Amino acid sequence: TQLLEQSPQFLSIQEGENLTVYCNSSSVFSSLQWYRQEPGEGPVLLVTVVTGGEVKKLKRLTFQFGDARKDSSLHITAAQPGDTGLYLCAGDNAGNMLTFGGGTRLMVKP
Amino acid sequence: SAVISQKPSRDICQRGTSLTIQCQVDSQVTMMFWYRQQPGQSLTLIATANQGSEATYESGFVIDKFPISRPNLTFSTLTVSNMSPEDSSIYLCSVVTDYEQYFGPGTRLTVT
């Protein structure tokens, strides 16, 4: 069974601070996806990383896929209250089956 | 990308009854997935539904409790049978298209 561990589980920060969320596994994934979920809605895909060492940027969000494709990180610069939500990483083992991390609940206070 | 709608968006049901959740996709997809998300938790896969074949259930989920239909390539239903308070969750359908997975808005179920 492939497991993805996300850390931290909870994060409460002030507007303007930076933060990093980690997603780690002992298994190799063909790709890894990051989602953000707001209350009352389904997860929304933010990015997919495919190549080991890949870095993708989405405005103030920077996503990195580990060289060995076993881990990933999400870094948010100058967090804003609109970034509040549940962040989920999910690994794809090339069988169209996603393994989800436990999620990181982020609260950004104004 | 894919646009997914679910009905109902939420419901409050009594113990022992059943609820059928509908999932509609705006394009034809081979695989549809049903997930459960308990309050404050991550997502747990219930089953995978391919059109024209029986759904494949994950460990801990059985067809008698969560029967699934997949009559065509754009639609699926999940029934939560003989409900108990432990079934209170958000139920999400999901599809894969262009190697990326997209989710519906979810159905928030409360069992009293």
Side-chain angles (χ1 to χ4, degrees), chain B residues 39-111:
Chain B
Q41 303 295 316
S42 186
L43 280 67
T44 300
L45 181 64
I46 297 172
T48 303
N50 291 336
Q51 195 270 336
S53 63
E54 293 288 327
T56 302
Y57 289 82
E58 297 299 304
S59 176
F61 298 96
V62 295
I63 187 171
D64 290 346
K65 175 69 175 176
F66 297 101
I68 289 171
S69 77
R70 183 79 203 274
N72 57 54
L73 292 173
T74 64
F75 187 80
S76 178
T77 68
L78 169 75
T79 299
V80 186
S81 303
N82 188 25
M83 288 183 284
S84 66
E86 291 72 34
D87 294 320
S88 297
S89 277
I90 300 171
Y91 291 85
L92 297 138
C93 74
S94 175
V95 304
V96 172
T97 179
D98 296 330
Y99 304 104
E100 294 184 333
Q101 191 153 348
Y102 297 90
F103 289 85
T107 295
R108 183 179 294 272
L109 171 63
T110 302
V111 183

